[in-house]
Amino acid sequence: MLHQHQYDANGKQLCCTLEQKIHKKTNEQTGCCSTHDQHGHSNDEGHDHNHDHSGGGQTTFQLFFPAFLSFILLGIAIAFDNYYPQTWFTGWSRIVWYVIAYIPVGFPVLKEAVESIRKGGVFSEFFLMCIATIGAFAIGQYAEGVAVMLFYAIGEIFQTLAVQKAKSNIKTLLDQRPDTATVIEEGNAISKKASEISIGEIIQLKPGEKLALDGKLLSEHGSFNTAALTGESKPDTKQKNDSVLAGMINLNSVVLVEVTTAYSDSKLSKILEMVQEATAKKAPTELFIRKFAKIYTPIVVYLAIGICLLPILFVDNYIFKDWLYRSLIFLVISCPCALVISIPLGYFGGIGAASRNGILIKGSVFLDVLAEVKMVVFDKTGTLTKGVFKVQKVVAVGISESDLIKYTSAIEAKSSHPVGSAVIEYANGTGNGISVTNVKEIAGHGLEGIVDGKEILVGSIKLMKKYNIAFDAEIEKIPFTIIVGAINHKYAGYFIIADELKVDSSEAIQSLHQLNIKTVMLSGDKREVVAVVAAGLNIDQAFGDLLPENKVEKVEVLKKQYGKIAFVGDGVNDAPVIALADVGIAMGGLGSDAAIDIADVVIQNDQPTKVFKAILIGKRTKQIVWQNIGLAFVFKLVVLIMGAGGYATMWEAVFADVGVALLAILNAVRIQRMKF
């Protein structure tokens, strides 16, 4: 059956190209599977997904050895021709030497050209290089013929290494995510890969551990940090048979969970798929260059034929060999390698640089959008704050602060309420060993009990009102969660408990302002709490008491006012807004599956400053891509004109094609070495 070329929705050819060959090589090097287009088709024609990647890669020495061997043989031949003439180095012996120098770098390209023609792709990079180099041999320009193929091969190696480095960065980033869980088998707790855990197995989850798979709670109750899923900072107490989701963090005692969802639907699996699909999402600049090259290459081939044959009609002293040489020069220059390879490589370098900084960007199109962002809209809980309760302030009245902390933590230790855990943690054991008796939980109000012989009441303001205990009315104006205490029915003070800001939140906002990017915060939390947080961070605008649909409405209005907008969120409730924004950014370390799946950019370690770094990487990448476009166009145009007029040799053509491609590649790789 005749081979049919595969194309994606944007017209990109998915087979029989140099880029596909390079990606196939780097996939073998890094142990990644082939990239896929958005329709699920493999980009590697005939790629066997059951093969073992572990031993398929070549070392750097193996990649460079053919080029090194060819370079040595070419160098000796040029020396014999120009500097150290040898009597035997003439005629057939000279030709054979150059052919041997050509084979290490030329044979793989000849093979690719034949394969491409067999599959119906005549105007490939491989075909152009073969025609140019074989033509050079035909007119006796052996050194130029070998040099063209040698530099082409070196360029391909550098491309392979650059893409390999970028892919390795992304793979290393993903491998840092925890993917094991403790499973109970025949009464024994064993550590097991999450990918090997089946539906129905029992996971043991210790305090502080994150649940690897979705399931249902088998223990009587458990307290979980659900900020990643709900966007709410208050921990959630689950009862037996309640659903618990991957990403929830166990806060208190050891619990057992029965797995209800396969690992293939987990966060890590989804992100790995996203990495493989990232290169399918091309930037507009890249798509234009592809379409341009598709038309440009065959036109220049026909022009080269015209340069060789048409002068016979109007040149008096027509010499076929001279005009063939000019056409070959024109042909070498026509190869669009510098554009078609260096530009995608520039974007891929940006993706690689981002991954090295803990940022997963799902395609080059989003690097372009990041570079143009005018406003960043943040969710509050879990994005700018840690999503965990901490005691922020203690005020004691008529009693020492240490005694208030001691008595309150002692009685809270008898409760499983997650808010009380913040006080216990803050007390750091000062309430241990104190006699606590007759503890009663008053639903929706707080706790009552005898601590060290004193009657203690601890809970909300409603508890004080219930027992008619006078307290400072000013505390009712405090927007944060408070725990009020009374000793022997006398008001004793209060604890302010609030979600803690991430250490780099303020730096993130300040850095964005330095780029003249506006900042906005949207939250479902109380308007008063949101206002306090926004003022502390110097955020331009802030809105509270918002439901998910209200956030969508706000973002639609902001897009009309400011243009390109990025939204940063982490919970399931943020997914609609992430999808709506020009570029959606998810906090991936604790973020929910839905947010990560929909997002265009994933911040792997949950640091808000990475949003600034992502935008900076987008700007630097776009800068480098346009530098490469300018470099390639200027050099090619100059040498094309010189070649057609007979003022350029094959060496200038080699530089204009492979040399410029190498310079562009080195420029593209430069972004991976930049400090962000």
mmCIF file of all heavy atoms in Angstrom, residues 297-311:
data_model
loop_
_atom_site.group_PDB
_atom_site.id
_atom_site.type_symbol
_atom_site.label_atom_id
_atom_site.label_comp_id
_atom_site.label_asym_id
_atom_site.label_seq_id
_atom_site.Cartn_x
_atom_site.Cartn_y
_atom_site.Cartn_z
ATOM 1 N N THR A 297 10.497 25.878 -0.559
ATOM 2 C CA THR A 297 11.497 24.882 -0.969
ATOM 3 C C THR A 297 11.331 24.425 -2.422
ATOM 4 O O THR A 297 12.289 24.497 -3.195
ATOM 5 C CB THR A 297 11.486 23.687 -0.002
ATOM 6 O OG1 THR A 297 11.641 24.168 1.331
ATOM 7 C CG2 THR A 297 12.614 22.717 -0.313
ATOM 8 N N PRO A 298 10.153 23.953 -2.837
ATOM 9 C CA PRO A 298 10.024 23.521 -4.237
ATOM 10 C C PRO A 298 10.239 24.653 -5.242
ATOM 11 O O PRO A 298 10.802 24.432 -6.319
ATOM 12 C CB PRO A 298 8.598 22.970 -4.325
ATOM 13 C CG PRO A 298 7.886 23.436 -3.125
ATOM 14 C CD PRO A 298 8.914 23.670 -2.078
ATOM 15 N N ILE A 299 9.809 25.881 -4.883
ATOM 16 C CA ILE A 299 10.011 27.013 -5.802
ATOM 17 C C ILE A 299 11.498 27.218 -6.056
ATOM 18 O O ILE A 299 11.942 27.398 -7.202
ATOM 19 C CB ILE A 299 9.367 28.302 -5.230
ATOM 20 C CG1 ILE A 299 7.839 28.219 -5.332
ATOM 21 C CG2 ILE A 299 9.874 29.550 -5.958
ATOM 22 C CD1 ILE A 299 7.103 29.354 -4.667
ATOM 23 N N VAL A 300 12.306 27.183 -4.967
ATOM 24 C CA VAL A 300 13.747 27.408 -5.123
ATOM 25 C C VAL A 300 14.402 26.262 -5.894
ATOM 26 O O VAL A 300 15.355 26.480 -6.647
ATOM 27 C CB VAL A 300 14.416 27.623 -3.744
ATOM 28 C CG1 VAL A 300 15.917 27.810 -3.901
ATOM 29 C CG2 VAL A 300 13.830 28.841 -3.051
ATOM 30 N N VAL A 301 13.878 25.039 -5.736
ATOM 31 C CA VAL A 301 14.417 23.907 -6.511
ATOM 32 C C VAL A 301 14.224 24.161 -8.007
ATOM 33 O O VAL A 301 15.151 23.982 -8.812
ATOM 34 C CB VAL A 301 13.741 22.580 -6.099
ATOM 35 C CG1 VAL A 301 14.121 21.459 -7.058
ATOM 36 C CG2 VAL A 301 14.154 22.195 -4.680
ATOM 37 N N TYR A 302 13.016 24.597 -8.387
ATOM 38 C CA TYR A 302 12.752 24.886 -9.805
ATOM 39 C C TYR A 302 13.576 26.083 -10.288
ATOM 40 O O TYR A 302 14.034 26.123 -11.437
ATOM 41 C CB TYR A 302 11.259 25.135 -10.028
ATOM 42 C CG TYR A 302 10.425 23.887 -9.837
ATOM 43 C CD1 TYR A 302 9.366 23.853 -8.934
ATOM 44 C CD2 TYR A 302 10.719 22.718 -10.557
ATOM 45 C CE1 TYR A 302 8.611 22.703 -8.747
ATOM 46 C CE2 TYR A 302 9.968 21.562 -10.377
ATOM 47 C CZ TYR A 302 8.921 21.561 -9.473
ATOM 48 O OH TYR A 302 8.191 20.419 -9.294
ATOM 49 N N LEU A 303 13.790 27.070 -9.423
ATOM 50 C CA LEU A 303 14.645 28.204 -9.774
ATOM 51 C C LEU A 303 16.082 27.738 -10.016
ATOM 52 O O LEU A 303 16.763 28.230 -10.926
ATOM 53 C CB LEU A 303 14.625 29.263 -8.665
ATOM 54 C CG LEU A 303 13.369 30.144 -8.574
ATOM 55 C CD1 LEU A 303 13.423 31.039 -7.347
ATOM 56 C CD2 LEU A 303 13.216 31.001 -9.835
ATOM 57 N N ALA A 304 16.542 26.762 -9.184
ATOM 58 C CA ALA A 304 17.895 26.221 -9.349
ATOM 59 C C ALA A 304 18.038 25.536 -10.711
ATOM 60 O O ALA A 304 19.058 25.690 -11.401
ATOM 61 C CB ALA A 304 18.206 25.232 -8.223
ATOM 62 N N ILE A 305 17.003 24.792 -11.112
ATOM 63 C CA ILE A 305 17.013 24.156 -12.437
ATOM 64 C C ILE A 305 17.058 25.229 -13.527
ATOM 65 O O ILE A 305 17.786 25.120 -14.520
ATOM 66 C CB ILE A 305 15.771 23.240 -12.614
ATOM 67 C CG1 ILE A 305 15.844 22.065 -11.629
ATOM 68 C CG2 ILE A 305 15.672 22.732 -14.054
ATOM 69 C CD1 ILE A 305 14.560 21.262 -11.536
ATOM 70 N N GLY A 306 16.284 26.312 -13.300
ATOM 71 C CA GLY A 306 16.267 27.426 -14.255
ATOM 72 C C GLY A 306 17.622 28.103 -14.373
ATOM 73 O O GLY A 306 18.077 28.439 -15.472
ATOM 74 N N ILE A 307 18.299 28.292 -13.216
ATOM 75 C CA ILE A 307 19.629 28.925 -13.220
ATOM 76 C C ILE A 307 20.621 28.084 -14.021
ATOM 77 O O ILE A 307 21.491 28.608 -14.715
ATOM 78 C CB ILE A 307 20.130 29.123 -11.765
ATOM 79 C CG1 ILE A 307 19.338 30.257 -11.099
ATOM 80 C CG2 ILE A 307 21.627 29.435 -11.721
ATOM 81 C CD1 ILE A 307 19.564 30.372 -9.605
ATOM 82 N N CYS A 308 20.462 26.765 -13.945
ATOM 83 C CA CYS A 308 21.374 25.853 -14.653
ATOM 84 C C CYS A 308 21.113 25.837 -16.163
ATOM 85 O O CYS A 308 22.058 25.861 -16.963
ATOM 86 C CB CYS A 308 21.243 24.455 -14.071
ATOM 87 S SG CYS A 308 22.290 23.230 -14.894
ATOM 88 N N LEU A 309 19.843 25.813 -16.569
ATOM 89 C CA LEU A 309 19.511 25.564 -17.979
ATOM 90 C C LEU A 309 19.112 26.796 -18.799
ATOM 91 O O LEU A 309 19.426 26.884 -19.985
ATOM 92 C CB LEU A 309 18.381 24.519 -18.048
ATOM 93 C CG LEU A 309 18.681 23.155 -17.410
ATOM 94 C CD1 LEU A 309 17.462 22.255 -17.501
ATOM 95 C CD2 LEU A 309 19.883 22.492 -18.076
ATOM 96 N N LEU A 310 18.427 27.754 -18.180
ATOM 97 C CA LEU A 310 17.923 28.898 -18.953
ATOM 98 C C LEU A 310 19.014 29.788 -19.559
ATOM 99 O O LEU A 310 18.816 30.333 -20.654
ATOM 100 C CB LEU A 310 16.973 29.741 -18.089
ATOM 101 C CG LEU A 310 15.618 29.101 -17.762
ATOM 102 C CD1 LEU A 310 14.790 30.014 -16.867
ATOM 103 C CD2 LEU A 310 14.848 28.775 -19.046
ATOM 104 N N PRO A 311 20.169 29.975 -18.892
ATOM 105 C CA PRO A 311 21.210 30.838 -19.490
ATOM 106 C C PRO A 311 21.674 30.398 -20.876
ATOM 107 O O PRO A 311 22.231 31.211 -21.628
ATOM 108 C CB PRO A 311 22.356 30.750 -18.475
ATOM 109 C CG PRO A 311 21.677 30.478 -17.182
ATOM 110 C CD PRO A 311 20.547 29.572 -17.528
#
